[in-house]
Amino acid sequence: MKRRLGPIFGIIISIVLFLALALFADNILGNSQRAAFSDEVSSYNELRKNHKPSTSADITDLTYVNIKENGTLSKKASDLIHRGNFSMSEQYATDRSFGNRTMFYRYNNGDYVVAKKYSRLWNQDPLTFTLIGILFFIIVDTIVIIYYRQRQILKKDIDSVTNNLRRVRKNKEISSLILSPDDDLYELVEQTNQINKDISQLREDAKLRERRFKGLIGHLPIGVMLLNSQGEVLLHNQAMASLLDENITDDIHPFIEDVKTYGLSRMIEHSLRKNKNYHREIQLVGNSQKYVDANVIHLVHTREDFDQQVLVILYDLTESRHMEQMQVDFVNNVSHELKTPITSIEGFSETLLDGAQDDPEKREHFLKIIHDESVRLTELIQDILSLSKIKKDNDSTELVDMETDIERILQSMEVSIDKHHLKVEKSFFGNKEVTINRAKVNLILNNLIKNAISYNKENGTIKIAVHHDEIENRLRVIIEDSGIGISQDDQNRVFERFYRVDRSRSLETGGTGLGLAIVKETVDNLDGNLTIDSDLGLGTTFTFEIPL
């Protein structure tokens, strides 16, 4: 509606302007006509000295009028007199109509006046005036319409630019606006488009950096949580959720909903309140019961940054503490295991030195005990060295005939096998020659076969099956015995160091308690899998798979 009224107001103004110009020109014409009439009246007065008034009027092209007559000019002159327009002894008066301007001159307040009728501006040449008026309106209204048209186009372009800027601010796609290079808004539109490109690039870079940052935080092995100054969680990673054993939501929420450990919660609260950093080792409560190294860091970005943040970092120490405890237990177990044979060797040696050596029967018995304990001590030391060498050995591989190596291991244990009257059954599936780490695989086989011999029954059997899966390129070995078996409770612990299912049987067979631990760690070192299937009193089956 506003756009339509603009041209209408412009046309109305043009009409008013035309009328004002016409009246102004007509007024100038009237002044000229009055000057001419005054000159003619002067000539009339000079002629009147020698001629009659009517004759003088005819000579000067004036009309001599008797105001007492009934003519048109007489009535107009009479009306002027009655209205008081003639009040001086010698005066002029003018009567105006739309088309004409009639001027009167009255001399000495008489009953006679001289008059002359002049045409007004638009009545001088009506056709010319009309044509000029039409031409004026065409020109002026064309200018007005063009002005408003250009103004509408300009306003439309400005609205488009404004809308584009608004869309840029809201991160929306802007509408295309094509202008000619000579347009007044061309440079503004170009700069708007460039700003949109720059902001889009900045937003893409920011999103990329945010994705990279979140990806980095998400894959960190340490727990990370970022809080604002109100103690609300702004950011966290999966490691933090795992450590706290909580399903942390991505929505902003108070940290107290996730942190259930009083010690950690107090560290965070103190950091928020006192703007200080805190560091200590704590044990998390809940289902995890994990030990963590907790760092609560007060972040200050700038002096003007009032919304300061707190970074909570948790480093899982559970495995480290477990390893430390394992080391302590290992040292204690090794000390205990070494103490028994050393004490036996020392005791029986002293007995021999004290005179028992003179008794041939006792000497032979004591020397046999010393020999057995020495062998046991040697095996224990050898197993300890094997454990320490598992991760130090290189990963070199070679082509190995599995049947030949297993046969060699069985031959080395032939005395023990014959002693217990055991029957060994071997079966091979697939290619017998495989490329493996020979030392580590033989270490596994040696301990598993030795275990099958030591815990088997008299006249029992040992079944060894070797499978080479050429499709998946994996080696699977199954060693089954018909021995005493392992209870379900013991199956979860047989791979612990120095753990024995039957301690008396282990001492009798000379076991060190490290064999299955060596097997487990070696299989893990080869990125393989080790499983156990056993029934108490029926036997045990060990299966290990390793990639080739």
Side-chain angles (χ1 to χ4, degrees), residues 326-434:
M326 285 180 62
Q327 290 175 357
V328 172
D329 293 341
F330 182 73
V331 171
N332 292 335
N333 288 329
V334 167
S335 301
H336 177 73
E337 294 294 333
L338 289 174
K339 182 179 179 181
T340 301
I342 291 175
T343 301
S344 297
I345 293 172
E346 181 182 6
F348 288 110
S349 298
E350 289 179 357
T351 303
L352 289 172
L353 291 174
D354 288 341
Q357 58 182 328
D358 297 331
D359 186 343
E361 186 178 349
K362 289 184 178 180
R363 181 175 66 238
E364 183 179 357
H365 177 67
F366 290 162
L367 287 175
K368 186 178 183 305
I369 293 175
I370 292 174
H371 176 266
D372 292 341
E373 294 296 336
S374 299
V375 171
R376 182 182 170 202
L377 184 60
T378 301
E379 291 181 351
L380 178 60
I381 294 173
Q382 187 62 44
D383 284 347
I384 293 173
L385 291 176
S386 297
L387 278 173
S388 64
K389 288 173 61 179
I390 289 174
K391 294 184 179 179
K392 294 181 180 179
D393 286 344
N394 57 41
D395 295 326
S396 61
T397 59
E398 56 184 298
L399 187 62
V400 177
D401 187 327
M402 291 299 296
E403 184 176 9
T404 301
D405 276 30
I406 290 175
E407 188 62 37
R408 187 182 298 113
I409 293 172
L410 291 172
Q411 287 177 1
S412 68
M413 301 180 183
E414 189 173 0
V415 175
S416 298
I417 293 173
D418 293 340
K419 180 181 177 181
H420 295 286
H421 309 288
L422 300 177
K423 180 182 178 182
V424 179
E425 299 176 2
K426 296 173 290 181
S427 56
F428 297 89
F429 303 91
N431 194 351
K432 298 178 183 179
E433 294 185 346
V434 292

Side-chain angles (χ1 to χ4, degrees), residues 41-156:
V41 168
S42 298
S43 298
Y44 166 76
N45 288 329
E46 290 295 327
L47 291 172
R48 199 179 57 173
K49 294 178 181 180
N50 300 314
H51 298 84
K52 293 182 179 179
S54 58
T55 303
S56 299
D58 291 338
I59 295 173
T60 55
D61 198 23
L62 297 176
T63 302
Y64 188 74
V65 179
N66 185 350
I67 61 176
K68 292 184 178 181
E69 293 179 354
N70 293 325
T72 303
L73 290 179
S74 298
K75 291 182 179 180
K76 288 183 178 180
S78 177
D79 290 339
L80 291 174
I81 291 172
H82 288 130
R83 288 200 299 267
N85 290 343
F86 295 103
S87 59
M88 300 176 61
S89 60
E90 196 173 32
Q91 57 188 340
Y92 293 90
T94 301
D95 178 70
R96 297 178 182 82
S97 64
F98 177 77
N100 299 300
R101 181 184 292 107
T102 304
M103 297 184 182
F104 296 91
Y105 172 75
R106 184 184 182 192
Y107 179 74
N108 290 332
N109 292 328
D111 294 333
Y112 296 94
V113 298
V114 289
K116 189 171 184 177
K117 183 183 292 185
Y118 296 93
S119 297
R120 303 194 72 168
L121 177 65
W122 43 86
N123 212 30
Q124 293 275 332
D125 188 350
L127 180 61
T128 301
F129 182 81
T130 302
L131 291 176
I132 291 173
I134 293 173
L135 182 62
F136 173 83
F137 282 114
I138 290 174
I139 294 174
V140 173
D141 290 345
T142 300
I143 293 173
V144 170
I145 292 173
I146 292 174
Y147 166 76
Y148 276 102
R149 177 63 179 169
Q150 291 294 329
R151 193 165 181 270
Q152 288 178 359
I153 294 174
L154 180 63
K155 188 176 185 305
K156 181 180 179 181

Side-chain angles (χ1 to χ4, degrees), residues 281 291 317-327:
E281 181 180 327
Y291 291 91
L317 298 176
T318 307
E319 188 65 25
S320 299
R321 295 294 172 262
H322 179 64
M323 292 300 296
E324 290 175 1
Q325 187 61 44
M326 285 180 62
Q327 290 175 357

Side-chain angles (χ1 to χ4, degrees), residues 434-450:
V434 292
T435 301
I436 56 175
N437 187 312
R438 186 174 205 163
K440 292 184 179 180
V441 172
N442 283 348
L443 182 62
I444 297 170
L445 291 171
N446 189 77
N447 280 281
L448 287 178
I449 294 174
K450 184 178 179 181

